[in-house]
Amino acid sequence: MDLIIPVPPRFNFWATVYSHGWCALPPFHVDKNERTLRLVVPNGHGGNDSLTLHDTKAKLTASLDNGGDASPDRVTNISNSVSSVLRLRESFDPFYAEAKRYPRYRWMVKRGAGRLLRCPTVFEDVVKMICTTNCSWALTEIMVQALVTKLGSRVRDGVQSFPSPETLASCSEAFLRREIRCGYRAPYLLELSRKIAGGTLEIEKWRTSDEPTEELFIQVRSIKGVGEYAAGNILKLLGRYDYLGLDSWSRGKFYEIFRKGRKVKDSTIERHYARFGRWRGLFMWMDMTKDWHEREFPL
DNA sequence: GCGTCCAGGTCTACC
DNA sequence: GGTAGACCTGGACGC
């Protein structure tokens, strides 16, 4: 079954897929030659659907890989999930209007860059973000790969889902340390999963919350294992760009781009981006990743 | 092959 | 409020 997903003007599929490292973490799978992105979305009835997204000339196609009937409910769920993952229903007009004011940032308008890929659920985004803290990217990949292969459900041959909160909640800390290699993060992941599975924490609502960003930041930050860096970046995936979410890599990039490699305080970086108001976190990320865009997708 | 050191965010205890 | 140390892993390095 193939579905045509409507996309907004200026939407750039590849700039969104490669907007940050998430596309390299399963269940996402990128085929560069075929120019497709595979993803696994919960179907709302305890199961999952595997989709392959294919972009051709202002048209986005979602192919359902695991068979079954195309019920109206299922079609709606797939359409909503893809729109959420690729941020198709968010307006970036104010962001591009701001970008046009600065010659340095007009490339983002030209390329349709700015949409950050996110997972089908907030839970998956938060768990993965915790797995990026205090370790190399290689270790993040090991942890996420293990979560999917050891705890995910089989969707079709060779494709497994990201584990649900209930599945993660049922694990022991020793299992997570030994098999998932997540070390001291194990109790954090367990606490998060058990609160969600027990119904005392509802993080899926965050994507549609109309609470002020500062209030949302406090809630995100209250998750054990989520500090300033992780909370700032989780907020970006919720469509709030008021925090920078600095880590050692982005600090280094800033020093390299704006200070000829000289170190500066975080407050200096904050001041540098303050002019961009509520979009400052996204402007910063665009500076950090401009070279990826130029290298991976030359115009 | 083995041991040691270091980098990477967050939490907690302490001042 | 600020700071030091612990947490855990993979990778780099020296032997």
Side-chain angles (χ1 to χ4, degrees), chain A residues 3 15 36 48 78 120 189 192 213 230 264 277 287:
Chain A
L3 283 175
T36 59
N48 295 279
I78 290 171
L189 297 182
L192 170 70
T213 304
V264 293
D287 275 331

Side-chain angles (χ1 to χ4, degrees), chain A residues 2-8 11 51-55 58-63 75-84 86 88-89:
Chain A
D2 285 351
L3 283 175
I4 303 297
I5 309 283
V7 297
F11 170 70
L51 308 171
T52 298
L53 304 183
H54 182 66
D55 174 59
K59 205 174 78 173
L60 183 66
T61 308
S63 306
V75 169
T76 303
N77 182 66
I78 290 171
S79 175
N80 287 341
S81 297
V82 172
S83 297
S84 178
L86 298 177
L88 300 179
R89 292 173 190 162

